[in-house]
Amino acid sequence: MSQKTKAEELEALAAARWRVAAVLTAGTLVSYFGFILLVAFDKPLMGKQLAPGLSLGILLGALVIAAAWVLTGIYVLWANNTYDKALHQFRR
């Protein structure tokens, strides 16, 4: 088996970073645009009261914001534990 060159290792690391970013970005876009499409095309559903003062639209809006935080946290954890360590090893 041949050893990977430094350039190949760096390319693989960049590709992994791109894949992670693309998946997390897609998740964010699906949640945001899904919410906006529901607001635009199914107002009765979004206006359904779950509890006094709490509609499904308000709950889903809060969940979209929470999802953005969670997806950002996933990226930060991945970057700190995988990407940054690999980049540090590469620089040695």
Side-chain angles (χ1 to χ4, degrees), residues 4-26:
K4 284 186 176 181
T5 66
K6 289 288 188 183
E8 289 171 334
E9 287 178 23
L10 190 57
E11 271 184 35
L13 184 59
R17 181 181 166 272
W18 192 92
R19 280 190 306 273
V20 169
V23 167
L24 295 174
T25 298

Side-chain angles (χ1 to χ4, degrees), residues 2-87:
S2 65
Q3 263 189 337
K4 284 186 176 181
T5 66
K6 289 288 188 183
E8 289 171 334
E9 287 178 23
L10 190 57
E11 271 184 35
L13 184 59
R17 181 181 166 272
W18 192 92
R19 280 190 306 273
V20 169
V23 167
L24 295 174
T25 298
T28 301
L29 290 174
V30 166
S31 70
Y32 283 159
F33 284 112
F35 178 73
I36 296 301
L37 289 171
L38 280 173
V39 169
F41 296 111
D42 203 351
K43 287 179 180 59
L45 176 68
M46 298 300 273
K48 185 175 181 173
Q49 293 292 312
L50 302 175
L54 178 64
S55 68
L56 183 59
I58 295 295
L59 178 61
L60 289 178
L63 289 175
V64 166
I65 293 168
W69 279 88
V70 167
L71 291 171
T72 300
I74 290 170
Y75 179 78
V76 168
L77 286 172
W78 178 83
N80 288 342
N81 294 324
T82 304
Y83 181 76
D84 288 347
K85 286 180 182 177
L87 196 57

